Amino acid sequence: MAFIGDSLARNQMDSLLCLLSTIETPKQIEMPEEPKPDVERASTTWNFFKHNFTVMTLWSQFLVAAVEIVVNGTATGNFHLQLDRVDTNWSEKLPSIDYAVFSDVHWFFRQNILYEGGKEPNVTDIGLYMAVKKAIRTAIKAINDCKNCRKILTLLRTYSPSHFENGEWNSGGACNRTRPIVKEEVINIGDLGIRNAQVEEIEVARNAGGNKFEVIDITEMMLIRPDGHPGVYQGKAWIKGYSDCVHWCLPGPIDTWNELLLELITRNI
């Protein structure tokens, strides 16, 4: 099983490792390359030998090919994205994968330059939703075009909302709530639009036949859980002093994602 995507893919894998470790203690068989500025951005592999089960993360924040934009020798944090070319960091591993769990979107909020079919920027401002849809489309094509693959069950985990209040992550934003909220209190209702764009692409893939595609539909339920983030207790030295209102506490609401994952796998056995 591969969790493919951004640091939230790693977050979900960590949750699964914790849940499964009550049955068997896994062994890490592939370590992140060193030095790494952030272990969440590394690909890593764990094995449950008694159960012949391997779980891994494959870092790919866009699912498609991306190169960071550098200006005067300084990395900008923005990227050149080739929307019609898959990121080989994960696609080359497909022959060894039975279950692929996709996670992306958060990095699409950056000021990226988009390409299709060439080396010159040739995609106008198509908006967040369409950029995400095109990336998913390319990822699905890579799954369906894989000649040496077994039948892969592909699961797309819908957008995981962040809950910064009174600012962004680098401008004083925080997530200090200590209880779930009700739907009427949800502020970032636009996140459901991202979810809808993702689901639309999976529906197209389902109707086309071939491999099986499912949706781990978590967006709406997570919108009401601003209390589930580590906040100022995130423990990462590289963002010391800032609140993490993107990732999720363990144990915590994210464990529900893997309960849904298990249910979807069971339905498709």
PDB file of all heavy atoms in Angstrom, residues 4-24:
ATOM      1  N   ILE A   4       0.517   8.284  -1.525  1.00  0.00           N
ATOM      2  CA  ILE A   4       1.227   9.078  -2.520  1.00  0.00           C
ATOM      3  C   ILE A   4       0.759  10.520  -2.421  1.00  0.00           C
ATOM      4  O   ILE A   4      -0.436  10.805  -2.564  1.00  0.00           O
ATOM      5  CB  ILE A   4       0.968   8.534  -3.942  1.00  0.00           C
ATOM      6  CG1 ILE A   4       1.354   7.046  -4.028  1.00  0.00           C
ATOM      7  CG2 ILE A   4       1.715   9.356  -4.979  1.00  0.00           C
ATOM      8  CD1 ILE A   4       0.819   6.351  -5.262  1.00  0.00           C
ATOM      9  N   GLY A   5       1.692  11.444  -2.183  1.00  0.00           N
ATOM     10  CA  GLY A   5       1.287  12.840  -2.136  1.00  0.00           C
ATOM     11  C   GLY A   5       2.134  13.670  -1.211  1.00  0.00           C
ATOM     12  O   GLY A   5       3.348  13.490  -1.102  1.00  0.00           O
ATOM     13  N   ASP A   6       1.479  14.588  -0.504  1.00  0.00           N
ATOM     14  CA  ASP A   6       2.163  15.575   0.321  1.00  0.00           C
ATOM     15  C   ASP A   6       2.319  15.059   1.751  1.00  0.00           C
ATOM     16  O   ASP A   6       2.167  13.869   2.023  1.00  0.00           O
ATOM     17  CB  ASP A   6       1.398  16.902   0.277  1.00  0.00           C
ATOM     18  CG  ASP A   6      -0.083  16.729   0.619  1.00  0.00           C
ATOM     19  OD1 ASP A   6      -0.433  15.733   1.286  1.00  0.00           O
ATOM     20  OD2 ASP A   6      -0.886  17.591   0.227  1.00  0.00           O
ATOM     21  N   SER A   7       2.624  15.963   2.683  1.00  0.00           N
ATOM     22  CA  SER A   7       2.881  15.551   4.066  1.00  0.00           C
ATOM     23  C   SER A   7       1.641  15.007   4.764  1.00  0.00           C
ATOM     24  O   SER A   7       1.744  14.310   5.778  1.00  0.00           O
ATOM     25  CB  SER A   7       3.462  16.726   4.866  1.00  0.00           C
ATOM     26  OG  SER A   7       2.619  17.854   4.805  1.00  0.00           O
ATOM     27  N   LEU A   8       0.448  15.315   4.234  1.00  0.00           N
ATOM     28  CA  LEU A   8      -0.757  14.720   4.801  1.00  0.00           C
ATOM     29  C   LEU A   8      -0.883  13.248   4.431  1.00  0.00           C
ATOM     30  O   LEU A   8      -1.539  12.482   5.142  1.00  0.00           O
ATOM     31  CB  LEU A   8      -1.992  15.505   4.367  1.00  0.00           C
ATOM     32  CG  LEU A   8      -2.176  16.810   5.160  1.00  0.00           C
ATOM     33  CD1 LEU A   8      -3.022  17.800   4.384  1.00  0.00           C
ATOM     34  CD2 LEU A   8      -2.776  16.539   6.525  1.00  0.00           C
ATOM     35  N   ALA A   9      -0.253  12.853   3.338  1.00  0.00           N
ATOM     36  CA  ALA A   9      -0.168  11.426   3.023  1.00  0.00           C
ATOM     37  C   ALA A   9       0.651  10.732   4.102  1.00  0.00           C
ATOM     38  O   ALA A   9       0.305   9.641   4.572  1.00  0.00           O
ATOM     39  CB  ALA A   9       0.448  11.220   1.644  1.00  0.00           C
ATOM     40  N   ARG A  10       1.756  11.373   4.508  1.00  0.00           N
ATOM     41  CA  ARG A  10       2.577  10.819   5.586  1.00  0.00           C
ATOM     42  C   ARG A  10       1.791  10.801   6.901  1.00  0.00           C
ATOM     43  O   ARG A  10       1.865   9.835   7.679  1.00  0.00           O
ATOM     44  CB  ARG A  10       3.856  11.653   5.728  1.00  0.00           C
ATOM     45  CG  ARG A  10       4.750  11.268   6.910  1.00  0.00           C
ATOM     46  CD  ARG A  10       5.276   9.833   6.787  1.00  0.00           C
ATOM     47  NE  ARG A  10       6.098   9.487   7.929  1.00  0.00           N
ATOM     48  CZ  ARG A  10       7.427   9.575   7.960  1.00  0.00           C
ATOM     49  NH1 ARG A  10       8.069  10.022   6.902  1.00  0.00           N
ATOM     50  NH2 ARG A  10       8.101   9.228   9.026  1.00  0.00           N
ATOM     51  N   ASN A  11       1.028  11.840   7.150  1.00  0.00           N
ATOM     52  CA  ASN A  11       0.203  11.927   8.351  1.00  0.00           C
ATOM     53  C   ASN A  11      -0.775  10.747   8.421  1.00  0.00           C
ATOM     54  O   ASN A  11      -0.937  10.095   9.469  1.00  0.00           O
ATOM     55  CB  ASN A  11      -0.558  13.250   8.320  1.00  0.00           C
ATOM     56  CG  ASN A  11      -1.029  13.741   9.676  1.00  0.00           C
ATOM     57  OD1 ASN A  11      -1.656  14.805   9.765  1.00  0.00           O
ATOM     58  ND2 ASN A  11      -0.780  13.022  10.751  1.00  0.00           N
ATOM     59  N   GLN A  12      -1.406  10.434   7.283  1.00  0.00           N
ATOM     60  CA  GLN A  12      -2.348   9.319   7.260  1.00  0.00           C
ATOM     61  C   GLN A  12      -1.631   7.990   7.438  1.00  0.00           C
ATOM     62  O   GLN A  12      -2.130   7.086   8.123  1.00  0.00           O
ATOM     63  CB  GLN A  12      -3.161   9.315   5.965  1.00  0.00           C
ATOM     64  CG  GLN A  12      -4.232   8.215   5.957  1.00  0.00           C
ATOM     65  CD  GLN A  12      -5.125   8.248   4.750  1.00  0.00           C
ATOM     66  OE1 GLN A  12      -4.967   9.086   3.848  1.00  0.00           O
ATOM     67  NE2 GLN A  12      -6.087   7.337   4.689  1.00  0.00           N
ATOM     68  N   MET A  13      -0.453   7.844   6.801  1.00  0.00           N
ATOM     69  CA  MET A  13       0.287   6.592   6.980  1.00  0.00           C
ATOM     70  C   MET A  13       0.686   6.394   8.437  1.00  0.00           C
ATOM     71  O   MET A  13       0.602   5.282   8.969  1.00  0.00           O
ATOM     72  CB  MET A  13       1.533   6.556   6.100  1.00  0.00           C
ATOM     73  CG  MET A  13       2.245   5.211   6.160  1.00  0.00           C
ATOM     74  SD  MET A  13       3.963   5.213   5.609  1.00  0.00           S
ATOM     75  CE  MET A  13       4.758   6.062   6.986  1.00  0.00           C
ATOM     76  N   ASP A  14       1.124   7.469   9.103  1.00  0.00           N
ATOM     77  CA  ASP A  14       1.497   7.363  10.514  1.00  0.00           C
ATOM     78  C   ASP A  14       0.309   6.903  11.357  1.00  0.00           C
ATOM     79  O   ASP A  14       0.457   6.102  12.287  1.00  0.00           O
ATOM     80  CB  ASP A  14       2.013   8.702  11.024  1.00  0.00           C
ATOM     81  CG  ASP A  14       3.407   9.031  10.496  1.00  0.00           C
ATOM     82  OD1 ASP A  14       4.090   8.112  10.012  1.00  0.00           O
ATOM     83  OD2 ASP A  14       3.804  10.213  10.554  1.00  0.00           O
ATOM     84  N   SER A  15      -0.874   7.421  11.018  1.00  0.00           N
ATOM     85  CA  SER A  15      -2.077   6.984  11.721  1.00  0.00           C
ATOM     86  C   SER A  15      -2.310   5.499  11.521  1.00  0.00           C
ATOM     87  O   SER A  15      -2.607   4.759  12.473  1.00  0.00           O
ATOM     88  CB  SER A  15      -3.296   7.781  11.219  1.00  0.00           C
ATOM     89  OG  SER A  15      -4.511   7.174  11.614  1.00  0.00           O
ATOM     90  N   LEU A  16      -2.158   5.030  10.284  1.00  0.00           N
ATOM     91  CA  LEU A  16      -2.364   3.614   9.997  1.00  0.00           C
ATOM     92  C   LEU A  16      -1.342   2.749  10.722  1.00  0.00           C
ATOM     93  O   LEU A  16      -1.680   1.689  11.263  1.00  0.00           O
ATOM     94  CB  LEU A  16      -2.292   3.371   8.490  1.00  0.00           C
ATOM     95  CG  LEU A  16      -2.567   1.934   8.045  1.00  0.00           C
ATOM     96  CD1 LEU A  16      -3.992   1.517   8.407  1.00  0.00           C
ATOM     97  CD2 LEU A  16      -2.325   1.771   6.548  1.00  0.00           C
ATOM     98  N   LEU A  17      -0.082   3.194  10.749  1.00  0.00           N
ATOM     99  CA  LEU A  17       0.954   2.448  11.466  1.00  0.00           C
ATOM    100  C   LEU A  17       0.591   2.291  12.943  1.00  0.00           C
ATOM    101  O   LEU A  17       0.755   1.215  13.528  1.00  0.00           O
ATOM    102  CB  LEU A  17       2.304   3.150  11.332  1.00  0.00           C
ATOM    103  CG  LEU A  17       2.994   3.087   9.971  1.00  0.00           C
ATOM    104  CD1 LEU A  17       4.259   3.940   9.989  1.00  0.00           C
ATOM    105  CD2 LEU A  17       3.331   1.652   9.586  1.00  0.00           C
ATOM    106  N   CYS A  18       0.099   3.366  13.533  1.00  0.00           N
ATOM    107  CA  CYS A  18      -0.290   3.311  14.950  1.00  0.00           C
ATOM    108  C   CYS A  18      -1.432   2.325  15.165  1.00  0.00           C
ATOM    109  O   CYS A  18      -1.416   1.540  16.124  1.00  0.00           O
ATOM    110  CB  CYS A  18      -0.700   4.697  15.444  1.00  0.00           C
ATOM    111  SG  CYS A  18       0.660   5.881  15.575  1.00  0.00           S
ATOM    112  N   LEU A  19      -2.425   2.364  14.281  1.00  0.00           N
ATOM    113  CA  LEU A  19      -3.575   1.474  14.424  1.00  0.00           C
ATOM    114  C   LEU A  19      -3.171   0.016  14.262  1.00  0.00           C
ATOM    115  O   LEU A  19      -3.587  -0.850  15.036  1.00  0.00           O
ATOM    116  CB  LEU A  19      -4.651   1.849  13.402  1.00  0.00           C
ATOM    117  CG  LEU A  19      -5.321   3.228  13.584  1.00  0.00           C
ATOM    118  CD1 LEU A  19      -6.202   3.541  12.377  1.00  0.00           C
ATOM    119  CD2 LEU A  19      -6.153   3.252  14.861  1.00  0.00           C
ATOM    120  N   LEU A  20      -2.328  -0.265  13.254  1.00  0.00           N
ATOM    121  CA  LEU A  20      -1.949  -1.649  12.984  1.00  0.00           C
ATOM    122  C   LEU A  20      -0.925  -2.185  13.972  1.00  0.00           C
ATOM    123  O   LEU A  20      -0.816  -3.404  14.160  1.00  0.00           O
ATOM    124  CB  LEU A  20      -1.396  -1.765  11.558  1.00  0.00           C
ATOM    125  CG  LEU A  20      -2.376  -1.444  10.425  1.00  0.00           C
ATOM    126  CD1 LEU A  20      -1.689  -1.628   9.077  1.00  0.00           C
ATOM    127  CD2 LEU A  20      -3.629  -2.300  10.507  1.00  0.00           C
ATOM    128  N   SER A  21      -0.190  -1.300  14.616  1.00  0.00           N
ATOM    129  CA  SER A  21       0.843  -1.741  15.559  1.00  0.00           C
ATOM    130  C   SER A  21       0.249  -2.382  16.808  1.00  0.00           C
ATOM    131  O   SER A  21       0.977  -2.992  17.596  1.00  0.00           O
ATOM    132  CB  SER A  21       1.746  -0.569  15.944  1.00  0.00           C
ATOM    133  OG  SER A  21       1.025   0.414  16.668  1.00  0.00           O
ATOM    134  N   THR A  22      -1.058  -2.259  16.993  1.00  0.00           N
ATOM    135  CA  THR A  22      -1.689  -2.968  18.110  1.00  0.00           C
ATOM    136  C   THR A  22      -1.728  -4.473  17.846  1.00  0.00           C
ATOM    137  O   THR A  22      -1.927  -5.266  18.772  1.00  0.00           O
ATOM    138  CB  THR A  22      -3.120  -2.448  18.339  1.00  0.00           C
ATOM    139  OG1 THR A  22      -3.913  -2.664  17.162  1.00  0.00           O
ATOM    140  CG2 THR A  22      -3.111  -0.955  18.646  1.00  0.00           C
ATOM    141  N   ILE A  23      -1.536  -4.865  16.587  1.00  0.00           N
ATOM    142  CA  ILE A  23      -1.523  -6.277  16.197  1.00  0.00           C
ATOM    143  C   ILE A  23      -0.105  -6.774  15.957  1.00  0.00           C
ATOM    144  O   ILE A  23       0.267  -7.875  16.351  1.00  0.00           O
ATOM    145  CB  ILE A  23      -2.368  -6.493  14.923  1.00  0.00           C
ATOM    146  CG1 ILE A  23      -3.791  -5.972  15.132  1.00  0.00           C
ATOM    147  CG2 ILE A  23      -2.380  -7.965  14.524  1.00  0.00           C
ATOM    148  CD1 ILE A  23      -4.542  -6.649  16.256  1.00  0.00           C
ATOM    149  N   GLU A  24       0.715  -5.947  15.314  1.00  0.00           N
ATOM    150  CA  GLU A  24       2.107  -6.318  15.029  1.00  0.00           C
ATOM    151  C   GLU A  24       2.954  -5.059  14.962  1.00  0.00           C
ATOM    152  O   GLU A  24       2.522  -4.052  14.386  1.00  0.00           O
ATOM    153  CB  GLU A  24       2.214  -7.090  13.704  1.00  0.00           C
ATOM    154  CG  GLU A  24       3.645  -7.468  13.341  1.00  0.00           C
ATOM    155  CD  GLU A  24       3.782  -8.084  11.954  1.00  0.00           C
ATOM    156  OE1 GLU A  24       2.743  -8.425  11.340  1.00  0.00           O
ATOM    157  OE2 GLU A  24       4.923  -8.205  11.476  1.00  0.00           O
TER     158      GLU A  24
END
